[in-house]
Amino acid sequence: MKRIGTSLTALALTGALLAGCSSSGSGQAPSAPAQNSDAKPAAAPSGPKEKFVFWDKGEYVEAYNKMMKERAEKFGKDNNIDVEYVVVSQNDLKSKLLAAIEAKNPPDLIVANDPVAKQFVASDQLVDTSDIINKIDFSDGAKNIAVTSDKYFMVPHSLQLSGAFLRKDVWDKHNLPIPKTWDELYQQAKIVNDPKNGFYATGFPLGASGGNDAEGMVRTVIREFGGSIVDKDNNITVNSKETLEALKFIAKFWQEGLTPPASVTWDDNGNNKAYLAGTVGFVINSASIYDSLLKDNPELEKKTVMVPLIGGPKGESFVGSGNVFAIFKNGKGTKWAKKFVTEFYEKDFYNNLIEQIGGKYVPAINGVLDTPFWKNPNNKSAGWLSMIKSIKGAGNYPGPEDDLGSKAQTMQLATKAVARIVVEKMDPQKSLDQLEQELKQLYGKK
Amino acid sequence: MRRSTYVKIRKLTALYVIGLVASVWTLFPIYWLVKSSLTPNKLMYTPQPKLIPAEWTFSHYQELFTKSPFLGFVKNSLYIALLVTVISVAISVLGSYSLTRLRFPGRGFMLKSIIYTYLLPVAVLFIPMYVAISRYGLNNNKNALLVVYPTIVVPYCCYMLISYFKAIPKELEEAALIDGCNRLQSLAKVILPIASPGIAVVSTFAFTLSWNEYLYALVLTTTPAQQTVTIGIASFNFGDQTIWGLLTSSSVIASIPAVLLYFLAQRFLKTGLAAGGVK
Amino acid sequence: MKTAAVKRRDDRLLGYGLLVPVAVIVFVIIGIPFVNAIYLSFTDKVVGVTPKFIGLANYMAIFSDKEYWKVLKNTVVFTVGSVGVKLVLGLLLAVVVNQNFFGRGLLRAVLLVPWALSGMVSAVTWRWMYDDTYGIINALLLRWNIVHLPVAWTSDPSIALLSVIIVNIWKGLPFFIFSLLGGLQTIDGQMYEAATIDGAGKVRQFFAITIPSISPVIAITVLLSTIWTFNSFEIVYLITGGGPLHASAVISTYTYEVAFLQNKMGQSLAVAGSIIPILVALIIFSMRKLNKDD
């Protein structure tokens, strides 16, 4: 026993000495990079091939990444270059990108949600894409999501509409029509709400972590009540009677228990989960809920209708959001990225891709919505298409899309104003005053 | 005699009651995780959920091993975590011995410096670290993790080992030195055998620290061939959607090696005091 | 025969020699990014842009922000609460699994499992269990009539911090149990035998032998856990996002907010840097305790 112990220790000690050397070696010695290039001799014979690095969005519907990978690989073969196609989860894209940018080692091309990509415009990381925008027949709604400060540094990949999911069976049980306005929804919510049995009329998120669901909804209501955060010249116009009414109105859903209490800290996943659990009757979300329903819960899918977003006293004011391509200046294969994006909208491929995703993505180009796929009455996501023509701008509408605008959105300042009323029971006007202060500080105004 | 039996029963009862309560507390979330990994998708979310689902399925595990590159992630993680553990524990045994038993100028400074490395969280260090690593051309290479992970593992190992070494009476080692052993021999023959249960614990935790690390793995590796289990698990999360069946089943699988390792470590190094100098 | 002086010199050389690998890790691999990060906290760093030195401006900005102080207070409550409970329960359970009884091996395995799970998985699982409409905890409490309305674990500002503390305890308890167990196992059994002969009871033995023998282990376990808990991120971020309205936010989630939502890398590093003096004081304090018996 003792001998085994001793030899084990001896082994450990030898290991320690060796390990000590190797770890200090790779830490500082210049031999480390050489070792690394030894490990990848792939393109040795015909001289080093050019390389195209593409970080794509990870998509719940597997077909998307499969098709994209095939296309990227084919692109590599056709152009005789190496292609590194990588799927990066959207939740982690930002951390990974920031590290890569700081090391001047970014990918050539990414697909990201438009607010994520927009942030890299301000730090001057992205390539001007006006030439691609001019070459392709993009819809106006799609162009809206790719513009920042009147310039194009992104290319719209596809739109992702946010609409309403409604439990038709519950509404039918109470003989209620589908709501067209926020006030109708509020009146109906009081009828269908049944918290004693664990059912809430609505599932609205108000959490601070991640995503746009909460801020998107609050801003929609503010606009539809006639208010605005900033005007088109970036004057802060938030402190108005209209915005005040909007904030008070949204807060009622929590004050009167029409939405689950936990929603105050929900992230974007919270309303999806609650809807799929069948504990809420009305949510606003992208069509991601639809493809989860199709895949996992056909019974609930049958009870669901997808209806366009509802309007307020001042009508409907929808904004677009979606996926964009962004090309990084410091990438080594920038020209390949441009070529890939320009060829991406080839009709057969593009339509097929959109259809494979099952309606969660809406085409960014004109004239492709008359396919059987979108005309199919069973395709519930087609119920949202009518929203496209009402799209007024992107997330910061009527303000310009710029760095400060997207910061105000990612900081969820409007959401927090509602949360103060709901959680801290702050007076609505006081909360609005604070929101105005925060915006002024952010925009550097007195 | 009667009284001592009574005391024994009372003690055993107390042990079992505490053990039971602790097990329920520990296992309940685990149960929920395992249950979810065996629940068909359509029953994954339900209002007023029940403890026992109406239907069970192994399909998530089947899908995990046949359709996803999960096994490759496991292989990478094993490679990284085992190597990092061996390297770090070995380095730390030597360092800790030096810091507890030898006297030299700068010892106190070194002792503090080791733990000061923990003062900034990985959440703010990962960008500067990535910049440094990519300067050596090690980005998207799992071997970069072999360089980086010791920075989170070694300070832990050193400090725990120092505390275990300190608990060993100096007299034992002095006896060995008088018998003609040199320092390293006394480390190998006296200190290590006595501290072996401690080393077993340290190794297990060193392993889990590298096995569960996420942020460095996320930024330092990019292609699946280089990536680790934590990245594999996180990849079942898509924006506002999650494939719960795969996320939970992969987590269950991923927690097995650490528990297994603990048992192996205990078995191999059980000798403890018995093997030490005290006969 | 070597002279005492030669022996001392040999010891000194050996002392340095054995520390070389550790020194490389501490001063090179982590040291360089660490110093770089501290420097950047005095700049207006934004990722991808060359930083400009701005002195203490970042620190001034955060110290004058009342959210910062709220978050710092939360962090202290979070850390002291978690570590305190973990220490007491950890000591109790370490003593329990150090006894001889049937099923001990199984109990040890069970108690280790939370540590074996990744932080992300633990957090999303708890978040799911905490929910008030589809979570199992509320479902059971309601079913057993313990409560009549679901408990808003993650959204009631007076409970949210407690809820994340509970998860931190759950996740971190194994570290205490097994570190302390490692210490208990190095105690020489003869000491107890001697004490028993001297007529000392179990309780006295615990305080006279057990605690002093493992006090270095306790000190270090507490120290490491305090630093980790102070800087822990995933549990809070993934369960409450620091909400509602920073009611459960801690320094690390706040750092993340400043760095990645407000895009101010320099200021975020200042937030992280600002707590270093607190931790250093703690380290010096525990070192003194640790070195007392030298």
mmCIF file of all heavy atoms in Angstrom, chain C residues 83-98:
data_model
loop_
_atom_site.group_PDB
_atom_site.id
_atom_site.type_symbol
_atom_site.label_atom_id
_atom_site.label_comp_id
_atom_site.label_asym_id
_atom_site.label_seq_id
_atom_site.Cartn_x
_atom_site.Cartn_y
_atom_site.Cartn_z
ATOM 1 N N VAL C 83 -22.705 33.000 2.758
ATOM 2 C CA VAL C 83 -21.535 32.359 3.342
ATOM 3 C C VAL C 83 -21.821 31.924 4.777
ATOM 4 O O VAL C 83 -21.445 30.825 5.195
ATOM 5 C CB VAL C 83 -20.303 33.295 3.275
ATOM 6 C CG1 VAL C 83 -19.120 32.667 3.990
ATOM 7 C CG2 VAL C 83 -19.949 33.578 1.829
ATOM 8 N N GLY C 84 -22.522 32.758 5.548
ATOM 9 C CA GLY C 84 -22.844 32.396 6.925
ATOM 10 C C GLY C 84 -23.617 31.092 7.000
ATOM 11 O O GLY C 84 -23.233 30.171 7.733
ATOM 12 N N VAL C 85 -24.675 31.002 6.229
ATOM 13 C CA VAL C 85 -25.491 29.786 6.265
ATOM 14 C C VAL C 85 -24.701 28.589 5.741
ATOM 15 O O VAL C 85 -24.755 27.494 6.303
ATOM 16 C CB VAL C 85 -26.787 29.975 5.455
ATOM 17 C CG1 VAL C 85 -27.589 28.687 5.428
ATOM 18 C CG2 VAL C 85 -27.613 31.104 6.042
ATOM 19 N N LYS C 86 -23.928 28.815 4.685
ATOM 20 C CA LYS C 86 -23.146 27.712 4.131
ATOM 21 C C LYS C 86 -22.153 27.187 5.167
ATOM 22 O O LYS C 86 -21.938 25.979 5.272
ATOM 23 C CB LYS C 86 -22.392 28.167 2.869
ATOM 24 C CG LYS C 86 -23.279 28.189 1.631
ATOM 25 C CD LYS C 86 -22.483 28.440 0.349
ATOM 26 C CE LYS C 86 -22.143 29.896 0.181
ATOM 27 N NZ LYS C 86 -21.616 30.217 -1.175
ATOM 28 N N LEU C 87 -21.558 28.085 5.945
ATOM 29 C CA LEU C 87 -20.571 27.644 6.937
ATOM 30 C C LEU C 87 -21.225 26.787 8.015
ATOM 31 O O LEU C 87 -20.757 25.692 8.324
ATOM 32 C CB LEU C 87 -19.880 28.856 7.572
ATOM 33 C CG LEU C 87 -18.900 28.525 8.704
ATOM 34 C CD1 LEU C 87 -17.761 27.649 8.191
ATOM 35 C CD2 LEU C 87 -18.350 29.775 9.346
ATOM 36 N N VAL C 88 -22.349 27.264 8.561
ATOM 37 C CA VAL C 88 -22.999 26.527 9.643
ATOM 38 C C VAL C 88 -23.489 25.167 9.148
ATOM 39 O O VAL C 88 -23.176 24.122 9.730
ATOM 40 C CB VAL C 88 -24.167 27.359 10.214
ATOM 41 C CG1 VAL C 88 -24.952 26.527 11.213
ATOM 42 C CG2 VAL C 88 -23.637 28.626 10.863
ATOM 43 N N LEU C 89 -24.229 25.185 8.037
ATOM 44 C CA LEU C 89 -24.741 23.913 7.518
ATOM 45 C C LEU C 89 -23.599 23.014 7.047
ATOM 46 O O LEU C 89 -23.643 21.801 7.216
ATOM 47 C CB LEU C 89 -25.710 24.167 6.364
ATOM 48 C CG LEU C 89 -27.036 24.828 6.725
ATOM 49 C CD1 LEU C 89 -27.896 25.003 5.477
ATOM 50 C CD2 LEU C 89 -27.794 24.004 7.757
ATOM 51 N N GLY C 90 -22.579 23.627 6.464
ATOM 52 C CA GLY C 90 -21.455 22.857 5.948
ATOM 53 C C GLY C 90 -20.716 22.131 7.054
ATOM 54 O O GLY C 90 -20.366 20.955 6.924
ATOM 55 N N LEU C 91 -20.517 22.832 8.166
ATOM 56 C CA LEU C 91 -19.831 22.225 9.307
ATOM 57 C C LEU C 91 -20.660 21.057 9.847
ATOM 58 O O LEU C 91 -20.155 19.961 10.083
ATOM 59 C CB LEU C 91 -19.637 23.296 10.390
ATOM 60 C CG LEU C 91 -18.513 23.108 11.386
ATOM 61 C CD1 LEU C 91 -17.197 22.795 10.698
ATOM 62 C CD2 LEU C 91 -18.371 24.364 12.249
ATOM 63 N N LEU C 92 -21.945 21.311 10.011
ATOM 64 C CA LEU C 92 -22.835 20.270 10.527
ATOM 65 C C LEU C 92 -22.777 19.027 9.635
ATOM 66 O O LEU C 92 -22.577 17.910 10.103
ATOM 67 C CB LEU C 92 -24.271 20.814 10.594
ATOM 68 C CG LEU C 92 -25.334 19.796 10.969
ATOM 69 C CD1 LEU C 92 -25.236 19.450 12.440
ATOM 70 C CD2 LEU C 92 -26.730 20.298 10.636
ATOM 71 N N LEU C 93 -22.932 19.251 8.325
ATOM 72 C CA LEU C 93 -23.002 18.105 7.429
ATOM 73 C C LEU C 93 -21.641 17.429 7.257
ATOM 74 O O LEU C 93 -21.569 16.218 7.068
ATOM 75 C CB LEU C 93 -23.583 18.527 6.078
ATOM 76 C CG LEU C 93 -25.087 18.828 6.163
ATOM 77 C CD1 LEU C 93 -25.583 19.503 4.892
ATOM 78 C CD2 LEU C 93 -25.880 17.547 6.415
ATOM 79 N N ALA C 94 -20.568 18.213 7.358
ATOM 80 C CA ALA C 94 -19.239 17.596 7.263
ATOM 81 C C ALA C 94 -19.036 16.645 8.435
ATOM 82 O O ALA C 94 -18.542 15.532 8.269
ATOM 83 C CB ALA C 94 -18.163 18.675 7.259
ATOM 84 N N VAL C 95 -19.452 17.085 9.625
ATOM 85 C CA VAL C 95 -19.342 16.208 10.788
ATOM 86 C C VAL C 95 -20.211 14.971 10.591
ATOM 87 O O VAL C 95 -19.800 13.842 10.872
ATOM 88 C CB VAL C 95 -19.737 16.974 12.081
ATOM 89 C CG1 VAL C 95 -19.844 16.004 13.249
ATOM 90 C CG2 VAL C 95 -18.716 18.059 12.378
ATOM 91 N N VAL C 96 -21.402 15.171 10.051
ATOM 92 C CA VAL C 96 -22.309 14.037 9.833
ATOM 93 C C VAL C 96 -21.696 13.021 8.883
ATOM 94 O O VAL C 96 -21.624 11.834 9.189
ATOM 95 C CB VAL C 96 -23.676 14.521 9.300
ATOM 96 C CG1 VAL C 96 -24.490 13.349 8.767
ATOM 97 C CG2 VAL C 96 -24.448 15.243 10.393
ATOM 98 N N VAL C 97 -21.209 13.467 7.730
ATOM 99 C CA VAL C 97 -20.693 12.477 6.772
ATOM 100 C C VAL C 97 -19.300 11.965 7.145
ATOM 101 O O VAL C 97 -18.752 11.122 6.456
ATOM 102 C CB VAL C 97 -20.674 12.998 5.311
ATOM 103 C CG1 VAL C 97 -22.080 13.232 4.815
ATOM 104 C CG2 VAL C 97 -19.831 14.250 5.183
ATOM 105 N N ASN C 98 -18.751 12.493 8.255
ATOM 106 C CA ASN C 98 -17.484 11.959 8.742
ATOM 107 C C ASN C 98 -17.723 10.824 9.746
ATOM 108 O O ASN C 98 -16.789 10.170 10.189
ATOM 109 C CB ASN C 98 -16.657 13.077 9.391
ATOM 110 C CG ASN C 98 -15.197 12.697 9.540
ATOM 111 O OD1 ASN C 98 -14.675 11.931 8.721
ATOM 112 N ND2 ASN C 98 -14.551 13.194 10.580
#
